[in-house]
Structures are given as C-alpha cells and as structure tokens.
Amino acid sequence: MPSEVTVFLPDGSARSVPAGTTVADLAAGIGRRLAAAAVAVELDGVLVDLSRPLFEGAKVRIVTADTDEGRDVLRHSTAHVMAQAVVRLWPGARYAIGPAIADGFYYDFELPKGARFSEDDLERIEAEMKAIVAEGQLFLREEHTIAEGLEIFADQPYKREIIEGVEAGVGLDDEVAAEAGGNPGAVSTYRNGPGFVDLCRGPHVPSTDRLGHFKLTRVAGAYWRGDEHRPQLQRVYGTAWESDKAVESYLHRLEEAERRDHRRLGAELDLFSFPAELGSGLAVFHPKGGLIRKVMEDYSRTRHSDAGYSFVNTPHITRSDLFETSGHLQWFAESMFPPMELDEGHRYYLKPMNCPFHILIFKSRQRSYRELPLRMFEFGAVYRYEKSGVVHGLTRVRGMTQDDAHIFCTREQMAGELRSLLIFVLELLRDFGLEDFYLELSTMPEEKAVGTLEEWEEATEALRQAALAMDLELVLDPGGGAFYGPKISVQARDAIGRTWQMSTIQVDTQLPQRFDMDYVGQDNTRHRPVMIHRALFGTVERFFALLVEHYAGAFPTWLSPVQVRVLPVRDDHVAYAREVRALLSAAGVRAEADDAGEPLGARIRRAKLEKLPYVLVVGDSDVAAKTVGVNARGSDEPERGVSVESFVERLRVEAAPPVRRVPSAGIEGAL
RNA sequence: GCCCGGGUAGCUCAGUGGUAGAGCAGCGCACUCGUAAUGCGCAGGUCAUGGGUUCGAAUCCCAUCUCGGGCUCCA
C-alpha cells in the first residue's frame, strides 16, 4: 500500500495526502471555512460521506451546505434526527421513509396504538430534535447483508418491506431507493447514538451538531407508498437550511406566496367568491372578476378567430347515450355528477367534457376533405365531481369553463396542426405575461385506456415531434394521458417560480372510431379524421387564478377592471374630473371619477390598495391648464402637470389588449 | 375519499360553561383637503347547521355542511 495518494480538486490541481486521509481531513487542510461548510463529498462522481478515505487518483468535489446538493444532505440528515426524536417521544413508533424534498424534508410514521400527531406535537418534536443536535451524535454508516438488515429492522415492517424489495430487485422509486442504498444484495444503515438506526443510502453530515437550522411546518396523512389502498401514515413536514438566515428567507418566501394567494386576493379585490350555499368548488365571479374574465375571453376569441377557428355552442347536459358512445361512462364516470332521471327512465348527465358534442356537430352532415382542418372552439362550461378533499380555490373546482376546441383533420395534416398549435399556445400565454415554459408529454395510462398500442404509439410520436420542434424543455409523464389519447401539457412558471399546468393538447384516434366519423377524400372514398383536443388557458378559472398570483393582484393595465381613477382635490374640481373621465372612456379606457367625499390621502390609499394602474389627481392648476397629476402604480413620485391629451393617448395604447401576428392565420399581408 | 386543523359582524381576529367584543369595511352628519387612513355618531352576529350533555353552551359531546394543510387524483 503506498504511503501517499494523489487526488484531484475541481480546479484540476492535484494534492498528495497520506494514505488513509479522509475527505474531512482534506477539507480541514484546505481551509477552516471549507471544513466548517462541508457536508458531503463527490468522489469520482458519487456523493458520499466526508468520513470516506481518499483513494489514489480520486476526483474530489467537496459539497458545502449552501448548495442545492448540500441542502439535500442537511435535510435528509435532519429527517433522521426528526425520526429519532419521534421514536424517543413515542416509543414503539414505526418509521417508513423520510427523504429530502424541495425546500425541506418529511418523514412518515406509524405511531403506536394508532395515535395521531397534532399541530401541538410539532413543538415537542422540535425540542427533542434540538436536544439531539446538542448531543452531537455521529452519523455512523454500516453495510449489512439483507439478512442482517431484516434482523436489525425486525420491529420495523416498513423498513423490512423496503429491504425485501431490494432483495427481490423490484423497481423502487427514487424516494424508496434512497432509503435502501448500498450495493445489490446489500443494504446500508446510518446509526445515531445508541438508540437509533435507519436504513439509508446517505450521505449524511458527520454529526448532528452540523444541523439545527430547521423548523417543522405541518402534519399530514400520507398513504404508504402513495397508494390509497395501503395504510395511511402520519407525515411530518419540515424545512432545513444552512443557516437561520436562510430559514428566515424561506419563511419570507412562503409569506410572499401567501400574499399572492388568489383566494385571499379574490376576496380583497372583490373578484369572486365561493358562496357556501352553492356547495364545494362552485365559484361566482363578481363584477370586477367578471370584467377580467370578459377581457380574457374577448381576447381569446379574437385570437382564435384570427387563427381560423369557428365558434360553436353546446348544452350543459345530455342524455346518457352520448357518454356511452364516447366511453366517458365507462372510463370517466367517477368524475361525473350522478345522473338525473327524466322522461320515462332516460338518464341525463352534466357534461364533464365538450368533445362528444363537437363530434356531433361534425357528424351533422357529410364532411369533405375540403373542409379540413375543421377547428371548433367554445368556452364550454363543464362539471366534474371532484373528490371532496381536492377542491382548491379556482385551481380545482367542480364547475369550470374550458377554452376548448377540437380540430378535425386528416392524418397528413396532423403534424402541421400540432406545430402551429404549439406556436399559437405559447404566443397566447406570452400575451398574458408568461415567459417561462416547459412541456410535458403524458403517455398511455396503464389501466384506463382505449385503443391499440400502435394507435397510441403513432399519436404519442406525433406529439413528441411537435414538442421537440419547440426548443423547450420536454419532460416525460409516463402513464399520464387521458383514456382516449396521449397529451402534451404546457407548464408555465409564474413570477415567483412556481409551475402551473395550463394548456393541454391531446391527439385522439379513438373517439373518431367510437363515433364512426368520416369525411370524403379527394379519392371519393371515406376516411377517418384525426381529432385534436386542446385547451389553452386550460380552464378560465385556473388561468384566472394563475394571473392573480402571477401579478399579485396588480394586473397589467389591459386586464385591470378599473384602469384609471380620477380624484378631484376638492368639490369644485369634480366637474373637471368627470370631463377627464369622459375623455378616457371615449378612448376606450375603463376610467372612474370619484367625488371629494373623503380626504385626498384616504382616496389615494384606497386606490393603491385596489392596485389600480393609474390614479389621477386634479386640482386648481389642472383645471386651469387642462392637465392631470399622474400617480402610476409602483411609482412613489407623482408626475404633475401632464396634459390631458397626452395622457389619454398614452392610455389609449396601454389599455388595449396586446396584439401579435398570428402565423397560422393564413391572412398575413391581406391588408 | 383518507389524515390533521379550523368555521364568532362584509373582512381580520379576541372571547373555553354564566345569556357576545375590537379594528377595518358599511351607513349618517360635519370636514373640502395636491398624492397611502379627518372627526363624531349609528347600525350590523339565531357564534356554520342539526342534535345531545347541563339549571345554564360560542365554549363540552355527536352528526352534517364548509374552509385550510397534506395524501390520492387532476384542467
């Protein structure tokens, strides 16, 4: 054995150290601060503990606590500490899995005698965790055979199940695999102090005293392995960071998200509400929310019109026959409201989707290839019986409006339609101020699917090709498609980085078959059309919620329900204020003038709280010079003495919806 | 649907067994003001709903509805 080994640092430099030197020793040799910040190390591309000895030729990259990888290690280690605290406080508790997640960690438990955590227990657990941190327990890694592992965890059935999974070599998802660790046929464990051992791949921080900047955030139920047919465990969520300052900053981010919450802003800005009388998941839009919807819908209609869509309308209920033909009653029934019995035993259903109705329009007469692609658009109100626990503000409701369209085209037209559709979607979303997207491709569901494998393959491939052409990140969602076909969804990131599933585009060869659709081709024989389902907002309600949160209620001028409010300084300026308002209205601007019933400061404040884009103040000098004082949202310094004409002109432009040229319109240059 | 926690005035909340309170919002009067809260007064609640325990329930128990955080599901 050589007495020295040479290792390489990320900057390419080499260091020779005595054989047996650990990474921790190396870090200490490089610098005190690095040693203090180090939590793990990547040796030849594998993330491991700092206690690992260095070997000849190793490429060493020390991972510090203030990086994403480092925080994962901190969080995973903190999860172990939490499990140990829970086992101390509830002897006999069983622990299942406890991974690091975005911004934190969780651990799932089964408490003795079916006990449940309550919110109050979080403080007790936290206190015990602090004690464990203060004890400075080492994280000791051990490797065991499967038989040894099963013995160590004799009283831990969830751990045993994971180990048995390793033994059987069954596919483990990432979270579970992170628990098992080790090489094939072996498992690794980490031991803390005398009383706690956990199955784990690691790596972990060297000692619990490296932790401490954490906070437990909530308790929840969670099914073992995410399967609702298996036992429900008690999950505790927490967050952990490299410093208290980072914890503070995270909590601040949560507050920011709460401040933007569309449910809160919806009430504050008087946009919509959920009257209890209507039942769960059923919203009413108030005048201001209704106006925003109208602007959104009007703009969408304009764009669809430009893009060659025709407009259709269909009823909200139908006899069961339609959904029997479509397959909805076979595959989608549990998401549908129960039927109404009418007219001598006929069953009527509220529609959960618009597609079968549009098919009937297609089938209302013989179609020719000359008519294709036929694009039918509708703001279709649909109703879905969502399970009681899933309704959530406007993002998950039981009555919703889809900006739904179905494109009927030939097989040959499909690729081109998909490509222009993706361009259309992204342009529309950009018009609403979203810039950051990625695409998700959802493939055939394992259980609920109609059609042959070949048909699914073809449709999926068409979607994949269209997606790849978009130069956007594409992620796979295996098994996530609808029962009749695969889909692409456009995921949008909002102003604070959260992702929202918006638009969906689905290729469907099944419903055309089920409804025996055909068109007459150039060859004078009948052909089956392909059907593309697509919704760009997704639903008006969800898109509305996204906009509220994206803009934190401060809508861009073109979407603001009130764009300008004119405030007279005194009673004797009211007439002038109304005159200014009338000029703005005539220019298509949504403007109001108030009377001088309250002090000016109070009226300014009110307008600011309503997040109006512009507040105009008019007083003596303005009446005399035909000017206004402009107080723009987001600005601290009002602009005095702006001429009325120039302001009206400015708003005439700014208050109008965005305009973009539509590549798929086919009428470019017509003017 | 499942687990945990809530539901008191339009909103935010206080009130844990002795017949309900504040701030803001609303209404009235006065104030007429140059860029984020003028003053005074008034009105407003069968304490989510229905049962139960109790001499007495916002408060304790049960059920239902509904909301929030999660799980599962999803536009």
Side-chain angles (χ1 to χ4, degrees):
Chain A
M1 190 172 172
S3 61
E4 284 211 331
V5 296
T6 301
V7 299
F8 299 93
L9 300 180
D11 63 2
S13 66
R15 279 182 99 96
S16 291
V17 295
T21 297
T22 67
V23 181
D25 299 331
L26 174 72
I30 293 172
R32 184 178 292 271
R33 284 174 62 186
L34 179 65
V39 292
V41 63
E42 193 183 86
L43 281 183
D44 281 0
V46 183
L47 208 57
V48 295
D49 294 330
L50 292 171
S51 58
R52 288 291 176 97
L54 293 166
F55 51 87
E56 178 61 31
K59 290 201 191 98
V60 181
R61 186 171 64 89
I62 292 170
V63 174
T64 55
D66 58 350
T67 61
D68 287 346
E69 282 172 304
R71 290 185 193 109
D72 275 353
V73 173
L74 287 181
R75 287 166 186 160
H76 197 173
S77 297
T78 306
H80 279 224
V81 169
M82 179 168 79
Q84 186 183 358
V86 167
V87 171
R88 280 187 182 183
L89 294 169
W90 283 269
R94 290 161 170 172
Y95 39 107
I97 62 171
I101 53 173
D103 298 329
F105 60 91
Y106 68 80
Y107 216 118
D108 288 345
F109 302 96
E110 181 184 272
L111 297 180
K113 299 175 200 153
R116 314 283 185 199
F117 290 121
S118 76
E119 300 277 338
D120 299 336
D121 291 327
L122 294 184
E123 278 183 37
R124 293 176 60 204
I125 300 170
E126 263 183 28
E128 195 64 36
M129 290 170 69
K130 299 276 184 199
I132 292 167
V133 166
E135 287 167 22
Q137 300 176 1
L138 301 181
F139 278 83
L140 296 174
R141 182 188 176 87
E142 293 164 4
E143 297 220 1
H144 303 281
T145 63
I146 282 172
E148 288 166 349
L150 289 173
E151 191 175 329
I152 292 170
F153 295 105
D155 298 328
Q156 293 292 341
Y158 298 104
K159 296 295 177 191
R160 289 172 61 95
E161 186 175 324
I162 295 167
I163 295 171
E164 282 157 6
V166 172
E167 183 174 28
V170 298
L172 296 171
D173 55 55
D174 282 351
E175 283 165 9
V176 176
E179 290 292 315
N183 305 309
V187 294
S188 58
T189 61
Y190 279 81
R191 196 173 284 282
N192 285 112
F196 184 77
V197 61
D198 196 0
L199 187 64
C200 190
R201 176 169 59 189
H204 281 288
V205 296
S207 156
T208 58
D209 59 18
R210 300 295 305 276
L211 308 171
H213 313 288
F214 60 80
K215 184 168 169 48
L216 301 186
T217 50
R218 50 183 168 261
V219 297
Y223 299 107
W224 169 232
R225 295 209 164 166
D227 183 343
E228 63 181 316
H229 304 295
R230 306 200 64 178
Q232 188 165 45
L233 306 174
Q234 295 283 299
R235 176 171 296 179
V236 179
Y237 282 94
T239 187
W241 297 81
E242 67 275 17
S243 66
D244 285 338
K245 198 174 158 192
V247 174
E248 288 299 314
S249 145
Y250 167 71
L251 295 176
H252 185 77
R253 257 201 294 145
L254 289 188
E255 280 168 27
E256 172 64 18
E258 196 181 320
R259 198 176 66 75
R260 289 170 175 264
D261 193 313
H262 74 278
R263 295 164 300 186
R264 175 200 194 96
L265 287 169
E268 281 176 6
L269 300 178
D270 196 16
L271 303 177
F272 60 85
S273 60
F274 289 92
E277 293 86 337
L278 299 189
S280 185
L282 297 168
V284 292
F285 280 74
H286 302 189
K288 283 180 185 160
L291 182 66
I292 295 169
R293 270 186 79 134
K294 177 177 181 296
V295 174
M296 290 166 61
E297 292 174 3
D298 286 350
Y299 188 65
S300 168
R301 284 197 180 92
T302 302
R303 295 299 307 260
H304 279 87
S305 182
D306 290 349
Y309 284 77
S310 49
F311 296 84
V312 299
N313 271 291
T314 62
H316 292 201
I317 63 172
T318 172
R319 244 161 44 183
S320 57
D321 310 48
L322 185 67
F323 291 129
E324 271 156 22
T325 305
S326 68
H328 282 87
L329 284 174
Q330 187 181 353
W331 300 106
F332 204 72
E334 67 176 31
S335 294
M336 293 168 66
F337 277 89
M340 292 165 258
E341 297 278 348
L342 295 170
D343 301 342
E344 298 169 30
H346 282 299
R347 287 175 303 137
Y348 282 77
Y349 283 91
L350 280 168
K351 66 175 172 182
M353 291 187 192
N354 304 299
C355 28
F357 296 81
H358 292 184
I359 291 172
L360 296 186
I361 296 171
F362 182 97
K363 279 170 61 84
S364 64
R365 62 174 168 78
Q366 179 75 71
R367 297 289 173 178
S368 154
Y369 75 97
R370 294 173 193 275
E371 294 180 82
L372 306 183
L374 191 50
R375 309 183 186 97
M376 295 183 197
F377 177 88
E378 169 177 33
F379 278 109
V382 298
Y383 296 87
R384 296 185 185 173
Y385 182 71
E386 301 291 351
K387 287 195 280 183
S388 66
V390 308
V391 295
H392 181 90
L394 287 177
T395 64
R396 198 73 186 275
V397 290
R398 284 177 166 170
M400 70 210 90
T401 311
Q402 295 181 311
D403 61 329
D404 204 5
H406 297 92
I407 300 171
F408 303 98
C409 63
T410 68
R411 280 200 129 65
E412 295 70 40
Q413 289 168 332
M414 179 168 69
E417 283 298 310
L418 289 173
R419 204 159 37 241
S420 63
L421 196 43
L422 273 169
I423 292 166
F424 182 29
V425 178
L426 295 178
E427 287 213 349
L428 186 79
L429 296 179
R430 287 189 175 114
D431 285 345
F432 281 91
L434 301 169
E435 294 294 339
D436 192 1
F437 310 105
Y438 67 94
L439 302 176
E440 191 171 274
L441 179 63
S442 302
T443 56
M444 188 168 86
E446 279 179 25
E447 287 170 8
K448 294 188 169 186
V450 293
T452 67
L453 216 54
E454 290 70 32
E455 288 162 340
W456 277 86
E457 274 305 313
E458 184 190 351
T460 306
E461 197 47 33
L463 284 171
R464 188 197 312 276
Q465 290 309 324
L468 288 175
M470 289 312 291
D471 198 28
L472 285 174
E473 187 189 344
L474 176 66
V475 303
L476 273 183
D477 171 29
F483 70 85
Y484 50 76
K487 71 177 178 193
I488 285 181
S489 52
V490 179
Q491 312 279 332
R493 290 194 185 88
D494 72 8
I496 57 173
R498 296 167 305 179
T499 65
W500 299 64
Q501 177 174 334
M502 316 278 16
S503 320
T504 60
I505 298 173
Q506 298 169 309
V507 171
D508 180 2
T509 54
Q510 299 309 313
L511 291 182
Q513 282 179 37
R514 287 182 158 261
F515 281 90
D516 193 26
M517 299 171 74
D518 62 42
Y519 65 91
V520 178
Q522 197 167 11
D523 60 2
N524 198 31
T525 65
R526 293 175 183 235
H527 300 272
R528 188 81 77 202
V530 172
M531 183 174 178
I532 300 169
H533 307 240
R534 38 110 295 167
L536 309 189
F537 291 155
T539 66
V540 177
E541 288 79 7
R542 178 178 285 182
F543 198 68
F544 187 99
L546 161 69
L547 292 178
V548 170
E549 302 208 3
H550 181 61
Y551 290 115
F555 293 99
T557 306
W558 74 283
L559 284 168
S560 286
V562 178
Q563 297 168 319
V564 179
R565 182 174 295 154
V566 189
L567 308 184
V569 172
R570 282 192 319 270
D571 276 353
D572 47 330
H573 306 126
V574 168
Y576 179 68
R578 289 183 180 157
E579 205 179 304
V580 172
R581 197 225 81 219
L583 286 171
L584 285 163
S585 298
V589 178
R590 294 186 289 274
E592 298 176 345
D594 79 347
D595 52 31
E598 286 176 291
L600 182 62
R603 287 178 283 147
I604 297 271
R605 178 166 191 272
R606 188 190 301 270
K608 291 291 184 186
L609 291 176
E610 290 177 46
K611 301 176 192 277
L612 302 188
Y614 290 98
V615 179
L616 302 185
V617 174
V618 294
D620 289 334
S621 61
D622 298 297
V623 174
K626 297 287 175 202
T627 58
V628 293
V630 178
N631 188 329
R633 185 176 59 202
S635 152
D636 298 335
E637 293 191 19
E639 205 180 335
R640 291 283 298 270
V642 176
S643 85
V644 173
E645 300 92 272
S646 69
F647 183 79
V648 169
E649 227 17 71
R650 178 168 154 196
L651 266 286
R652 187 196 299 278
V653 175
E654 190 178 326
V659 178
R660 283 186 194 236
R661 296 164 76 195
V662 186
S664 52
I667 53 166
E668 279 178 30
L671 300 177

